Amino acid sequence: MIYSRIAGTGRYLPKRIMTNSELEKMVDTSDEWIRTRTGVERRHIAAEDETTSDLALAAAEAAIENAGIDKDEIDLIVIGTTTPDLVFPNIATLVQYRLGIHGCPAFSIEAACTGFIYALATADKFVRTGASKCALVIGAEIITKLVDWTDRSTCVLFGDGAGAVIIKPSEEPGIISCHLGADGQYRDLLYYPYGVSKDLCKAGTGDARLMMSGNEVFKVAVKTLGSVAEEALTANGIDKSQLDWLVPHQANMRIISATAKRLDMPLEKVILTVQEHGNTSAASVPMALDVGIRDGRIKRGQLILMEAFGGGFTWGSILMRY
Ligand code: UT7
């Protein structure tokens, strides 16, 4: 049996850091409210002229170096993002070009905050079937360009960044299983109102801003993340006590704590970046993974559960050994 296994990871965060006290000057909020209700203390914000492929490229270069591979070994690029540079060509082709490689399939997947989990689950299928021997998978997002900076209920939550992994075939696990889901009945609880075939010309005007019914999203997120985590464990006959690390989507500290509690995992076994990064949508899980690996907490062979939840709704979990 062939598994796909992480060969290297990388991340990139834009230089500019915005603290909660800066937000206090922009909207009617407080550092105390933001920290206690969300866990966020600061977030990175992309520069005006920075694009999502800039962030994705930097994360990819870090992952390539960390994996110790030659970039020409890459035979597949999959990027999860909701904020690509252009409508087309797809962002993965832009990153491919900027890496100086040619010919391999390169495509993007849009699943909001679950984008990286969807992308990694897809690339995993290529590797398992022998169609890819070295895949570059990225979660990259400049979600703050969709945020209304006068809306305190959303602008305090988000940040920008990119995380990348290189996966290669291995006889040892590796990714054990992926569990994806979606339910469009919740589409009106978290969305951006304009797109290509719907009022594109209105983007940047009036109510062109990320819309979220925070409280309702919160409740479904807690319930769904708990069940998609359990789904992964049940499918593999693994007890929650066997998990070494939870690498969750970093939307809200209270959501993360609820999932950890359901898994009986102390927060010491959870990789937390929400305080430093905020919610970076598709970038949050791969950046948290990279943080945990690079600071030495996540070790080779350990059992890791990654999970995410986002607009759509979409959700997913990936159980793997590092
Ligand atoms: O990544 C995709 C998935 N996204 C998520 O999972 C996000 C899920 N939702 C959440 O994380 C939380 O719902 C929020 C952090 C967005 C909001 O927290 P909450 O505890 O659900 O607050 P709330 O929306 O129920 O609002 C409570 C109060 C309201 O005031 P009143 O009506 O009680 O007087 C809000 O107006 O807090 C007020 N409020 C704020 N106050 C200070 C909302 N935003 C702020 C703010 N500063 N930034």
Side-chain angles (χ1 to χ4, degrees), residues 263-320:
L263 291 168
D264 290 334
M265 292 182 85
L267 284 179
E268 291 71 40
K269 292 174 87 175
V270 181
I271 304 295
L272 295 171
T273 55
V274 64
Q275 63 281 16
E276 300 293 324
H277 298 171
N279 181 349
T280 57
S281 184
S284 94
V285 171
M287 289 207 293
L289 181 68
D290 184 58
V291 166
I293 289 172
R294 284 183 186 246
D295 69 18
R297 278 179 290 170
I298 297 178
K299 296 185 176 53
R300 279 287 175 200
Q302 286 188 323
L303 192 59
I304 296 156
L305 183 68
M306 302 186 283
E307 39 94 328
F309 178 89
F313 292 140
T314 56
W315 60 86
S317 62
I318 295 182
L319 185 69
M320 70 169 190

Side-chain angles (χ1 to χ4, degrees), residues 28-30 33-34 37-38 113 152-153 156-158 190 212 214-215 217-218 221 249 251-252 254-255 279 309-311:
D28 180 16
T29 192
S30 65
W33 190 96
I34 303 170
R37 304 307 294 170
T38 74
C113 299
R152 71 174 183 173
S153 70
V156 302
L157 305 174
F158 296 96
L190 179 52
M212 179 164 76
N215 214 274
V217 175
F218 187 96
H249 174 45
N252 185 315
R254 290 182 294 140
I255 298 177
N279 181 349
F309 178 89

Side-chain angles (χ1 to χ4, degrees), residues 1-201:
M1 178 117 160
I2 296 293
Y3 297 92
S4 49
R5 194 164 188 199
I6 304 257
T9 62
R11 70 179 183 280
Y12 177 79
L13 287 147
K15 298 280 169 288
R16 167 148 162 60
I17 295 173
M18 185 185 281
T19 60
N20 289 349
S21 55
E22 270 184 79
L23 282 159
E24 284 177 341
K25 295 178 194 115
M26 294 160 65
V27 287
D28 180 16
T29 192
S30 65
D31 174 48
E32 208 252 331
W33 190 96
I34 303 170
R35 272 191 292 105
T36 54
R37 304 307 294 170
T38 74
V40 184
E41 292 171 19
R42 56 191 72 82
R43 70 286 289 147
H44 293 247
I45 308 287
E48 195 63 40
D49 61 352
E50 218 164 13
T51 64
T52 304
S53 73
D54 293 334
L55 276 51
L57 178 69
E61 286 170 340
I64 290 166
E65 190 187 344
N66 184 247
I69 60 152
D70 188 305
K71 62 183 168 54
D72 292 315
E73 287 179 53
I74 294 168
D75 59 11
L76 173 71
I77 303 175
V78 190
I79 303 185
T81 189
T82 309
T83 51
D85 300 24
L86 303 168
V87 173
F88 70 89
N90 84 67
I91 184 172
T93 63
L94 306 181
V95 171
Q96 183 199 47
Y97 170 74
R98 294 177 68 183
L99 282 172
I101 56 179
H102 306 275
C104 71
F107 58 91
S108 56
I109 288 183
E110 198 272 285
C113 299
T114 320
F116 174 76
I117 297 286
Y118 267 58
L120 185 56
T122 304
D124 174 57
K125 310 289 183 283
F126 279 73
V127 173
R128 274 179 186 247
T129 57
S132 168
K133 297 272 182 273
C134 183
L136 168 62
V137 186
I138 305 173
E141 210 84 84
I142 300 189
I143 198 82
T144 63
K145 287 192 183 174
L146 303 182
V147 164
D148 176 357
W149 290 100
T150 66
D151 177 6
R152 71 174 183 173
S153 70
T154 53
C155 74
V156 302
L157 305 174
F158 296 96
D160 303 322
V165 302
I166 300 283
I167 54 170
K168 295 177 97 173
S170 159
E171 281 172 18
E172 303 284 318
I175 291 178
I176 298 165
S177 70
C178 307
H179 303 268
L180 305 180
D183 193 341
Q185 73 169 306
Y186 296 108
R187 67 199 178 282
D188 294 334
L189 295 185
L190 179 52
Y191 67 103
Y192 185 79
Y194 301 121
V196 181
S197 61
K198 189 175 183 301
D199 297 334
L200 180 63
C201 57

